[in-house]
Amino acid sequence: MIKRDDILSMEYLKKSEFTGCHQGMRYRLEKVETDDGKRLKCTIWPEPFNFFTTPEEEKESKLFDFEEDGVLDAVAWMNDRLFEEKDRWDHAADRWDTYQMK
């Protein structure tokens, strides 16, 4: 289970994206500007590859309020995805053989 303490502070998120992983799920939190102002974008994808080498169709993203409650909501959403797609994350590392050097 991902915990709030696993994510760096709001002060950090104001300046840079934050990435992490848990049980086969990789995740990235970042500040984005939308028509509604600043938002927290949370993106998840299966291991083993990084954000930039993972195809877009394998990523899932959701926007949250850019405040502490938004971080808590993002953590809850990631934990829901961990539970709902447990098999996907459990077998994520099996994909190493699909890696191709560019």
Side-chain angles (χ1 to χ4, degrees):
M1 182 167 145
I2 301 169
K3 297 181 179 145
R4 171 58 184 103
D5 291 344
D6 297 332
I7 312 298
L8 292 180
S9 70
M10 287 301 299
E11 291 304 313
Y12 181 90
L13 292 171
K14 287 177 183 178
K15 298 175 184 171
S16 185
E17 69 276 346
F18 175 79
T19 59
C21 62
H22 185 77
Q23 296 181 349
M25 172 194 283
R26 296 203 180 210
Y27 55 87
R28 174 181 164 125
L29 290 97
E30 62 186 307
K31 178 178 73 171
V32 294
E33 294 289 338
T34 68
D35 293 339
D36 299 327
K38 294 177 189 166
R39 303 283 293 189
L40 179 67
K41 181 178 181 182
C42 181
T43 304
I44 60 171
W45 67 95
E47 289 184 337
F49 308 120
N50 69 29
F51 181 81
F52 299 104
T53 58
T54 299
E56 289 300 316
E57 61 270 11
E58 293 189 33
K59 298 175 190 173
E60 183 177 352
S61 296
K62 188 168 180 177
L63 294 175
F64 300 92
D65 292 334
F66 193 75
E67 58 187 38
E68 184 60 33
D69 285 345
V71 176
L72 294 172
D73 291 343
V75 168
W77 177 72
M78 289 188 288
N79 284 319
D80 286 345
R81 304 309 301 145
L82 272 169
F83 176 76
E84 292 172 6
E85 295 187 82
K86 184 174 179 356
D87 192 55
R88 179 183 187 196
W89 314 120
D90 285 347
H91 297 286
D94 299 346
R95 301 169 357 113
W96 272 110
D97 61 345
T98 65
Y99 181 73
Q100 296 178 2
M101 297 289 288
K102 292 182 179 186

